[in-house]
Amino acid sequence: KTEYFVHPIAAALKASRTGADAQTIAASLLHDVGEDCKVSYSALQKKFGSEVAEIVDLVSKPKKVADGKWIFLSDENYHKVEDEFRGLEKSDPDLHDRRVDAFYKRLHDSGNARALFVKLFDNIDNMRSIRNVAEDKRESNIVACLKYNLWYAKKIHPSLHEEFEKAVYLGMRSLGWNDARIKSSIEK
């Protein structure tokens, strides 16, 4: 498996190479700390400023609680609902897909171009290392990338669109998928 720190560095390098500003590069480097390291929104705000904290919040996946509400990183209860969320996730097989839908709806509705770029940098690297993803989540991750990222990659940065398409294709190939399975995933 890829060491944790390699992925955020790869995302930040991609941001830097495309000429992103300092806040976007910092958010690319920090994009997973809320989910994976339990760093709070307020801690990000204090150390890196509101702009970086907002981007990291927008690219962090929400957690759902029993009352049906989605909790985002900027909510002070984000890390407190972890056990409740994991319990719901185990009992509801469709929760993963609804979570992804809620996440991308909020990200796209935000209109925050920096956050969209950071998610694109994140997903380009995720597709390059798709073999490190749990086997039962690989296809849904690929489908989500195609469904939610391909159109805005083309819209906001044509060369990133090309790179993203290639990364997704190579990710599928690295899993041993044949042309028929790739076409089926793309059509979903």
Side-chain angles (χ1 to χ4, degrees):
K1 280 196 167 196
T2 304
E3 294 295 329
Y4 169 77
F5 63 86
V6 172
H7 170 65
I9 290 171
L13 283 172
K14 173 66 53 201
S16 176
R17 289 181 183 139
T18 59
D21 64 15
Q23 289 82 9
T24 305
I25 295 167
S28 297
L29 188 60
L30 297 165
H31 75 272
D32 280 336
V33 298
E35 291 177 66
D36 297 343
C37 303
K38 300 199 185 317
V39 174
S40 71
Y41 179 82
S42 61
L44 284 167
Q45 228 175 1
K46 286 176 191 162
K47 291 189 183 222
F48 301 99
S50 294
E51 291 177 49
V52 171
E54 180 184 351
I55 295 167
V56 174
D57 175 45
L58 287 168
V59 299
S60 297
K61 291 194 181 66
K63 296 176 182 174
K64 191 169 192 141
V65 291
D67 68 3
K69 181 181 171 190
W70 290 106
I71 304 288
F72 294 91
L73 180 62
S74 54
D75 187 304
E76 65 185 38
N77 294 315
Y78 185 79
H79 295 298
K80 296 174 187 171
V81 299
E82 185 68 30
D83 291 338
E84 182 180 349
F85 174 72
R86 293 291 163 222
L88 287 171
E89 195 174 42
K90 288 178 183 173
S91 65
D92 182 352
D94 297 325
L95 183 60
H96 174 75
D97 290 340
R98 288 196 316 275
R99 180 186 194 201
V100 170
D101 288 343
F103 165 75
Y104 278 108
K105 179 176 180 359
R106 180 175 183 250
L107 176 60
H108 293 161
D109 288 353
S110 77
N112 187 318
R114 289 171 166 166
L116 290 169
F117 271 111
V118 169
K119 192 62 191 167
L120 191 56
F121 303 142
D122 173 33
N123 281 331
I124 287 171
D125 189 63
N126 285 342
M127 290 299 101
R128 289 189 175 137
S129 57
I130 192 73
R131 296 181 71 89
N132 296 330
V133 173
E135 199 168 330
D136 63 328
K137 297 204 179 192
R138 290 175 184 168
E139 185 165 2
S140 66
N141 283 4
I142 288 170
V143 169
C145 279
L146 289 169
K147 180 179 177 181
Y148 294 109
N149 298 153
L150 203 55
W151 71 270
Y152 78 76
K154 189 173 189 175
K155 183 178 178 180
I156 64 175
H157 204 291
S159 68
L160 281 179
H161 173 257
E162 256 180 59
E163 187 173 352
F164 181 72
E165 270 188 329
K166 184 177 178 182
V168 172
Y169 179 79
L170 292 175
M172 292 175 176
R173 281 291 186 205
S174 77
L175 298 175
W177 292 11
N178 62 28
D179 287 339
R181 186 164 183 195
I182 291 171
K183 183 179 180 191
S184 168
S185 291
I186 290 170
E187 290 171 353
K188 285 182 183 179

